[in-house]
Coordinates of all heavy atoms in Angstrom, one line a residue:
T1 N -18.1 -4.6 11.7 CA -17.5 -5.5 10.8 C -17.3 -4.9 9.4 O -18.3 -4.2 9.0 CB -18.2 -6.9 10.7 OG1 -18.3 -7.4 12.0 CG2 -17.6 -7.8 9.7
T2 N -16.2 -5.1 8.8 CA -16.0 -4.5 7.5 C -15.5 -5.6 6.5 O -14.8 -6.5 6.9 CB -15.0 -3.3 7.5 OG1 -15.0 -2.7 6.2 CG2 -13.6 -3.7 7.9
T3 N -16.0 -5.4 5.2 CA -15.6 -6.4 4.2 C -14.9 -5.6 3.1 O -15.4 -4.5 2.7 CB -16.8 -7.1 3.6 OG1 -17.4 -7.8 4.7 CG2 -16.5 -8.1 2.5
F4 N -13.8 -6.1 2.6 CA -13.1 -5.3 1.5 C -12.1 -6.3 0.8 O -12.0 -7.5 1.2 CB -12.3 -4.2 2.1 CG -11.2 -4.6 3.1 CD1 -9.9 -4.8 2.7 CD2 -11.6 -4.8 4.4 CE1 -9.0 -5.2 3.7 CE2 -10.7 -5.2 5.4 CZ -9.4 -5.4 5.0
T5 N -11.6 -5.8 -0.3 CA -10.6 -6.6 -1.1 C -9.2 -6.0 -0.9 O -9.1 -4.8 -1.2 CB -11.0 -6.7 -2.6 OG1 -12.3 -7.3 -2.7 CG2 -10.0 -7.5 -3.4
L6 N -8.2 -6.7 -0.5 CA -6.9 -6.3 -0.5 C -6.2 -6.7 -1.7 O -6.3 -7.9 -2.1 CB -6.2 -6.8 0.8 CG -4.7 -6.5 0.9 CD1 -4.5 -5.0 1.2 CD2 -4.1 -7.3 2.1
A7 N -5.5 -5.9 -2.4 CA -4.7 -6.2 -3.6 C -3.3 -5.8 -3.5 O -3.0 -4.8 -2.9 CB -5.4 -5.6 -4.8
D8 N -2.4 -6.6 -4.1 CA -1.0 -6.3 -4.2 C -0.5 -6.9 -5.4 O -1.2 -7.5 -6.2 CB -0.3 -6.8 -2.9 CG 0.9 -5.9 -2.6 OD1 1.6 -5.4 -3.5 OD2 1.2 -5.7 -1.4
R9 N 0.8 -6.9 -5.6 CA 1.4 -7.4 -6.9 C 2.8 -7.9 -6.6 O 3.6 -7.4 -5.8 CB 1.4 -6.3 -7.9 CG 2.3 -6.6 -9.1 CD 2.2 -5.5 -10.1 NE 1.2 -5.8 -11.1 CZ 0.5 -5.0 -11.8 NH1 0.8 -3.7 -11.8 NH2 -0.4 -5.4 -12.7
V10 N 3.1 -9.0 -7.3 CA 4.5 -9.5 -7.4 C 5.0 -9.2 -8.8 O 4.2 -9.2 -9.8 CB 4.6 -11.0 -7.1 CG1 4.3 -11.3 -5.7 CG2 3.8 -11.8 -8.0
P11 N 6.2 -8.9 -9.0 CA 6.7 -8.5 -10.4 C 6.6 -9.7 -11.3 O 6.8 -10.9 -10.9 CB 8.1 -8.1 -10.2 CG 8.5 -8.6 -8.9 CD 7.3 -8.8 -8.1
V12 N 6.4 -9.4 -12.6 CA 6.4 -10.4 -13.7 C 7.4 -9.9 -14.7 O 7.2 -8.8 -15.2 CB 5.0 -10.6 -14.3 CG1 5.0 -11.5 -15.5 CG2 4.0 -11.1 -13.2
S13 N 8.4 -10.7 -15.0 CA 9.4 -10.2 -15.9 C 8.9 -10.4 -17.4 O 8.4 -11.5 -17.7 CB 10.7 -11.0 -15.7 OG 11.7 -10.6 -16.7
E14 N 9.2 -9.4 -18.2 CA 8.9 -9.6 -19.6 C 10.2 -9.6 -20.4 O 10.3 -9.6 -21.6 CB 8.1 -8.4 -20.1 CG 6.7 -8.4 -19.5 CD 5.8 -7.2 -20.0 OE1 6.3 -6.4 -20.8 OE2 4.7 -7.1 -19.6
N15 N 11.3 -9.7 -19.6 CA 12.7 -9.7 -20.2 C 13.3 -11.1 -19.8 O 13.4 -11.4 -18.6 CB 13.5 -8.5 -19.6 CG 14.9 -8.5 -20.2 OD1 15.5 -9.5 -20.5 ND2 15.4 -7.2 -20.3
K16 N 13.8 -11.8 -20.8 CA 14.4 -13.1 -20.5 C 15.6 -13.1 -19.6 O 16.0 -14.1 -19.0 CB 14.7 -13.9 -21.8 CG 15.8 -13.3 -22.6 CD 16.0 -14.1 -23.9 CE 16.9 -13.4 -24.8 NZ 18.3 -13.8 -24.6
D17 N 16.3 -11.9 -19.5 CA 17.5 -11.8 -18.7 C 17.1 -11.4 -17.3 O 18.0 -11.4 -16.4 CB 18.4 -10.7 -19.3 CG 18.9 -11.1 -20.6 OD1 19.2 -12.3 -20.9 OD2 19.2 -10.2 -21.5
I18 N 15.9 -11.2 -17.0 CA 15.4 -10.9 -15.6 C 14.5 -12.0 -15.1 O 13.5 -12.3 -15.8 CB 14.7 -9.5 -15.5 CG1 15.7 -8.4 -16.0 CG2 14.2 -9.3 -14.1 CD1 15.0 -7.1 -16.1
R19 N 14.8 -12.6 -14.0 CA 14.1 -13.8 -13.5 C 13.5 -13.5 -12.1 O 14.2 -13.0 -11.3 CB 14.9 -15.0 -13.5 CG 14.2 -16.3 -13.5 CD 15.1 -17.5 -13.7 NE 15.8 -17.7 -12.4 CZ 16.9 -18.3 -12.3 NH1 17.5 -18.8 -13.3 NH2 17.5 -18.5 -11.1
V20 N 12.2 -13.8 -12.0 CA 11.6 -13.6 -10.7 C 11.2 -15.0 -10.2 O 10.5 -15.7 -10.9 CB 10.3 -12.7 -10.7 CG1 9.6 -12.6 -9.4 CG2 10.6 -11.4 -11.3
D21 N 11.7 -15.4 -9.0 CA 11.4 -16.8 -8.5 C 11.4 -16.8 -7.0 O 11.5 -15.7 -6.4 CB 12.3 -17.8 -9.1 CG 13.8 -17.6 -8.8 OD1 14.1 -16.6 -8.1 OD2 14.6 -18.4 -9.2
K22 N 11.3 -17.9 -6.4 CA 11.2 -18.1 -5.0 C 10.1 -17.2 -4.4 O 10.2 -16.6 -3.4 CB 12.5 -17.8 -4.3 CG 13.6 -18.8 -4.7 CD 14.9 -18.6 -4.0 CE 16.0 -19.5 -4.5 NZ 17.3 -19.3 -3.9
I23 N 8.9 -17.2 -5.1 CA 7.8 -16.5 -4.6 C 7.1 -17.2 -3.5 O 6.8 -18.3 -3.5 CB 6.8 -16.2 -5.8 CG1 7.5 -15.4 -6.9 CG2 5.5 -15.5 -5.3 CD1 6.7 -15.3 -8.2
S24 N 6.9 -16.4 -2.4 CA 6.2 -16.9 -1.2 C 5.2 -15.9 -0.8 O 5.5 -14.8 -0.5 CB 7.2 -17.2 -0.1 OG 6.6 -17.5 1.1
I25 N 3.9 -16.4 -0.7 CA 2.8 -15.5 -0.3 C 2.0 -16.2 0.8 O 1.6 -17.3 0.7 CB 1.9 -15.3 -1.5 CG1 2.7 -14.8 -2.7 CG2 0.7 -14.4 -1.2 CD1 2.0 -14.8 -4.0
T26 N 1.8 -15.4 1.9 CA 1.1 -15.9 3.1 C 0.1 -14.8 3.5 O 0.5 -13.7 3.7 CB 2.1 -16.1 4.2 OG1 3.1 -17.0 3.8 CG2 1.4 -16.7 5.4
P27 N -1.2 -15.2 3.6 CA -1.8 -16.5 3.3 C -1.7 -16.7 1.8 O -1.8 -15.8 1.0 CB -3.2 -16.3 3.8 CG -3.4 -14.9 4.2 CD -2.1 -14.2 4.2
Q28 N -1.7 -18.0 1.5 CA -1.4 -18.5 0.1 C -2.6 -18.0 -0.8 O -3.7 -18.2 -0.5 CB -1.4 -20.0 0.1 CG -1.1 -20.6 -1.2 CD 0.2 -21.2 -1.4 OE1 0.9 -21.4 -0.4 NE2 0.6 -21.5 -2.6
V29 N -2.1 -17.4 -1.9 CA -3.0 -17.0 -3.0 C -2.2 -17.1 -4.3 O -1.0 -16.8 -4.2 CB -3.7 -15.7 -2.8 CG1 -2.7 -14.6 -2.8 CG2 -4.8 -15.4 -3.7

């Protein structure tokens, strides 16, 4: 058995002309 942390990223816009939405993450976090 092994234990670990999985990490990933969704983009975050710092520009008002770029929008990130409809984010869906499974399993939910």
Side-chain angles (χ1 to χ4, degrees):
T1 298
T2 186
T3 300
F4 59 97
T5 300
L6 176 66
D8 210 323
R9 167 177 265 157
V10 292
V12 174
S13 176
E14 295 180 0
N15 182 326
K16 66 181 175 88
D17 294 328
I18 300 172
R19 202 172 74 205
V20 179
D21 60 1
K22 298 184 181 175
I23 298 171
S24 172
I25 302 165
T26 307
Q28 181 111 15
V29 66

